[in-house]
Amino acid sequence: MAATVDKNRPSPEWIAELRRRFPCETEIDRVLTRKLERRAGPPYAPVTLAQLQAGTESLLKTQLVEPFTVRDCRWLSGGASKLQMAFTLDWSQPGVGRVSTPLVLRMEPSEAITETSRLREFQIIKAMEGVVPVPPTYWIDAYGEHLPYPAIVYGFAEGVTKPSASSSNVSGVGTFMPPEIRETLGQQFVDHLAITHSFDWRQADLGAYDRPAIGTQALEWALNHWERVWEEDAHEDVPLMRLTMAWLRRNMPPVDHVSVVHGDYRLGNFLYTEQDLKISAWLDWELAYLGDRHEDLSWCAKRPFGHLAEDGKTFLIGGFLPMQAFVARYEKASGLKVDPKRMQYYDIFNNYKAVAIVLATGYRAPRNGKTHQDVLVSWITGISYSLLDELRTQMAQTAELL
Amino acid sequence: MELRPAFQIPAIIKSLSDVVLPAVDPANKLAQEQGQLVVAMLHLIAQRLPLQYRYDRHELSRYLALADALASAGAAIPEAADALHALAASAAEGRLLMAAAGTEPAALEAANLALRERVGAVVTAAAATAQDVALKAINAAVMAHTQEELLRERAWIALQGWEGPASGLPAIETLIGS
């Protein structure tokens, strides 16, 4: 007995079948199709700082008229998905004059644990500038015309993801927020989410985003997106994932208000300045889409992204505030309701999505040597089984499975 | 269970070769030499691991043949009688094991993969039915199987620490038999 499809060498017919079975947003379809078409090609080859510097200079020559210098290139760590190079740019900044600006190049590897669009990431951050704190974003090489792979040049945002004295696991999981900073940061944590969800995206330049109608269209696209990822990348099939997707499709709640959904809004994905406790930037917008706010609401409330209060009983969302206070502040700030049933639905959706990322893509990308940190990505695969166990508990609690 | 050596070792080699070893101090000859040897050793392990079981089985078959030859040739040597008797006992055990050692690990893995895929297809196909009773029975069977499977998988990777030291996970050895 053998599995029927060789996912390491996908055939054009199989790719076409997946695209037909799982229609999703145009730009998401493009990046997923590109991933499959390149999969049988060579693994990720190490890129030198000199190559990245040359690629960055090539990109900037198309953007800058005045002379410039790229210098002090060095690697940055952090994150499981993209390569990052810090550098300093000496240039003539429009309206400012000659300056030296510290910048970050964020580039995809050949395949990432989250296969996403740099164009969407660039557009959403530009759209959110001045709305919520985001890192300054300068230039994009959307299709890898200058650099080995698509990339964005960011400015540095000042701040830390966790208290300097704190420790945590990969991606900020397990961070403890001390009581004295909870109220100030927690209010911003909720308010920025409320502002994001009530933002009028219709006027924004979001050409790489398909615009869903009120109803279930956004959710159908999202379900197709993540089931497609599961089909493309999973090695071992998991019956629970099949059962969950069937349940998610049978129980789709209509979207009452189409919002910008961050897609990974949580502790660990914002920077704050410790001297004045101000959130200085929301990071990692690559999974953003137009959909139901309850995805973000239930995701940021997950246990790994918070902790218990000093009473040992009260769970603090993000390490900041209990659910009741979180909901009350969010509803007041956004004018949008929090629906417990949709919170439950998106909690299940989020676990499906997380397992598709860490178990399916987390296996397939390093299996083919496609990332710059295969050992980290394959290590993260291990968290899948805790997520699946949580998903099993959630599914057991849904009425039709009892 | 995805975290198995065939998946993990190439990732370790790539990390060592692409990132870690180029950053080792060129003047530290001991670290340089041992780093290269670690990578070479991992390549050897990765290459030979799929053949390990077949190798052991082949070796057993050749020793059983040698034991037969010695039993025949040594029968006329009284001084070797005790040693030949012990050899015959071990050979008898070996023959039993040889008879039971019929399936290679790769074949087991492939069978599991295929069954997973076909179970998944049944779950998806059944989800489209209006037969509520049958659907609930299928779901219940999947959920029961999943509970047991996930306990096994979580115990397998417990050392990674995702669930903390107080996870209460049983030792994997208690879950998969002797």
Side-chain angles (χ1 to χ4, degrees):
Chain A
M1 286 193 287
T4 46
V5 173
D6 184 354
K7 296 183 179 180
N8 299 318
R9 281 168 287 279
S11 68
E13 294 76 19
W14 186 62
I15 297 171
E17 185 199 337
L18 288 173
R19 297 182 70 193
R20 182 187 55 75
R21 282 174 61 197
F22 302 110
C24 49
E25 288 187 68
T26 310
E27 177 68 359
I28 289 173
D29 173 55
R30 184 186 72 78
V31 295
L32 292 179
T33 302
R34 179 194 61 180
K35 172 188 76 175
L36 292 179
E37 288 173 343
R38 293 197 315 210
R39 178 167 285 165
Y44 170 81
V47 179
T48 64
L49 285 172
Q51 284 174 288
L52 291 185
Q53 180 172 348
T56 305
E57 288 167 348
S58 169
L59 170 64
L60 295 185
K61 277 178 191 162
T62 67
Q63 304 290 322
L64 302 176
V65 178
E66 299 290 325
F68 65 87
T69 306
V70 173
R71 62 179 170 86
D72 298 338
C73 299
R74 61 199 183 279
W75 294 114
L76 286 181
S77 66
S81 187
K82 308 293 179 291
L83 289 95
Q84 298 190 109
M85 178 188 80
F87 65 98
T88 301
L89 178 66
D90 300 324
W91 62 310
S92 295
Q93 187 172 4
V96 178
R98 288 303 292 183
V99 289
S100 296
T101 309
L103 296 169
V104 178
L105 178 79
R106 180 172 147 90
M107 187 182 78
E108 303 172 7
S110 181
E111 280 184 32
I113 191 168
T114 47
E115 194 67 22
T116 53
S117 160
R118 299 287 67 68
L119 184 58
R120 284 168 68 96
E121 183 179 352
F122 189 79
Q123 285 185 352
I124 194 70
I125 291 179
K126 283 290 182 196
M128 300 310 286
E129 270 179 8
V131 180
V132 291
V134 291
T137 312
Y138 288 84
W139 303 286
I140 180 170
D141 182 13
Y143 305 106
E145 292 167 313
H146 303 278
L147 288 141
Y149 302 101
I152 295 176
V153 177
Y154 279 99
F156 260 106
E158 192 188 351
V160 294
T161 56
K162 61 187 179 188
S164 300
S166 176
S167 63
S168 67
N169 296 324
V170 175
S171 295
V173 173
T175 299
F176 178 79
M177 285 294 174
E180 61 273 17
I181 69 173
R182 284 178 198 159
E183 185 175 351
T184 308
L185 277 179
Q187 287 177 358
Q188 297 167 72
F189 181 83
V190 181
D191 290 351
H192 292 164
L193 188 57
I195 292 167
T196 299
H197 290 165
S198 49
F199 170 66
D200 182 9
W201 49 267
R202 287 168 184 81
Q203 309 307 320
D205 177 13
L206 293 173
Y209 289 74
D210 290 359
R211 299 178 171 218
I214 294 288
T216 57
Q217 189 173 40
L219 180 53
E220 282 179 64
W221 288 343
L223 292 178
N224 286 341
H225 174 187
W226 294 110
E227 188 172 12
R228 177 171 166 181
V229 168
W230 177 257
E231 290 288 339
E232 289 174 346
D233 295 347
H235 176 231
E236 297 178 344
D237 208 335
V238 176
L240 179 64
M241 290 291 277
R242 300 279 181 179
L243 193 147
T244 303
M245 181 49 71
W247 183 89
L248 287 168
R249 288 191 185 280
R250 272 199 308 274
N251 293 279
M252 286 190 291
V255 180
D256 61 347
H257 174 97
V258 177
S259 298
V260 168
V261 176
H262 179 282
D264 196 8
Y265 194 97
R266 61 174 173 83
L267 181 64
N269 265 346
F270 64 85
L271 298 172
Y272 72 96
T273 44
E274 289 187 291
Q275 68 275 15
D276 58 2
L277 297 180
K278 283 202 169 155
I279 291 180
S280 54
W282 277 96
L283 311 170
D284 282 357
W285 291 81
E286 62 179 310
L287 290 167
Y289 71 108
L290 302 173
D292 192 315
R293 61 192 177 276
H294 292 84
E295 174 175 343
D296 281 340
L297 288 162
S298 62
W299 181 245
C300 71
K302 287 189 78 64
R303 307 296 285 193
F305 307 138
H307 56 77
L308 295 178
E310 283 62 30
D311 64 6
K313 293 182 291 190
T314 309
F315 178 71
L316 303 175
I317 293 172
F320 296 125
L321 69 176
M323 176 62 87
Q324 198 176 6
F326 174 83
V327 168
R329 188 170 180 98
Y330 173 85
E331 289 187 338
K332 188 176 175 194
S334 68
L336 298 165
K337 285 287 174 198
V338 177
D339 174 6
K341 277 194 75 175
R342 277 192 281 170
M343 287 287 278
Q344 184 194 25
Y345 178 93
Y346 278 96
D347 205 12
I348 292 173
F349 170 93
N350 280 329
N351 267 346
Y352 181 96
K353 170 181 160 183
V355 173
I357 290 170
V358 293
L359 185 57
T361 313
Y363 169 85
R364 188 64 56 185
R367 159 66 180 77
N368 291 309
K370 295 288 189 178
T371 86
H372 58 297
Q373 46 186 6
D374 286 349
V375 75
L376 173 68
V377 177
S378 54
W379 177 267
I380 290 173
T381 301
I383 202 174
S384 310
Y385 302 105
S386 309
L387 292 169
L388 278 168
D389 200 51
E390 187 181 331
L391 185 56
R392 180 190 64 77
T393 305
Q394 291 171 322
M395 291 302 291
Q397 288 167 349
T398 59
E400 67 183 83
L401 287 171
L402 293 175
Chain B
M1 165 46 60
E2 297 287 27
L3 284 170
R4 53 182 68 230
F7 169 54
Q8 293 164 305
I9 294 172
I12 296 167
I13 291 173
K14 193 159 188 293
S15 170
L16 285 169
S17 304
D18 291 356
V19 181
V20 179
L21 291 185
V24 171
D25 180 1
N28 189 335
K29 298 300 179 196
L30 196 64
Q32 285 282 344
E33 181 180 73
Q34 293 194 20
Q36 299 296 337
L37 285 171
V38 166
V39 170
M41 191 78 86
L42 286 169
H43 272 296
L44 181 63
I45 294 169
Q47 189 181 48
R48 295 306 184 216
L49 193 61
L51 300 175
Q52 187 73 60
Y53 183 81
R54 195 186 308 176
Y55 187 98
D56 289 341
R57 196 174 55 187
H58 182 78
E59 182 177 296
L60 180 57
S61 75
R62 304 323 299 154
Y63 266 100
L64 288 173
L66 178 59
D68 287 346
L70 294 181
S72 175
I77 306 170
E79 294 82 352
D82 287 350
L84 283 169
H85 184 71
L87 176 60
S90 289
E93 280 181 34
R95 278 193 192 88
L96 287 175
L97 288 172
M98 193 68 195
T103 304
E104 294 218 16
L108 287 176
E109 195 183 336
N112 281 330
L113 270 179
L115 278 167
R116 278 175 174 269
E117 186 177 317
R118 278 148 205 181
V119 166
V122 169
V123 171
T124 300
T129 186
Q131 305 281 329
D132 274 2
V133 175
L135 181 58
K136 283 193 174 180
I138 286 174
N139 288 350
V142 168
M143 293 296 283
H145 173 88
T146 299
Q147 183 168 12
E148 186 193 318
E149 178 174 75
L150 282 171
L151 186 63
R152 199 166 56 236
E153 290 173 327
R154 289 157 60 215
W156 184 258
I157 49 97
L159 196 63
Q160 281 194 299
W162 299 110
E163 299 185 43
S167 65
L169 288 170
I172 184 64
E173 292 86 347
T174 66
L175 297 174
I176 59 175
S178 57

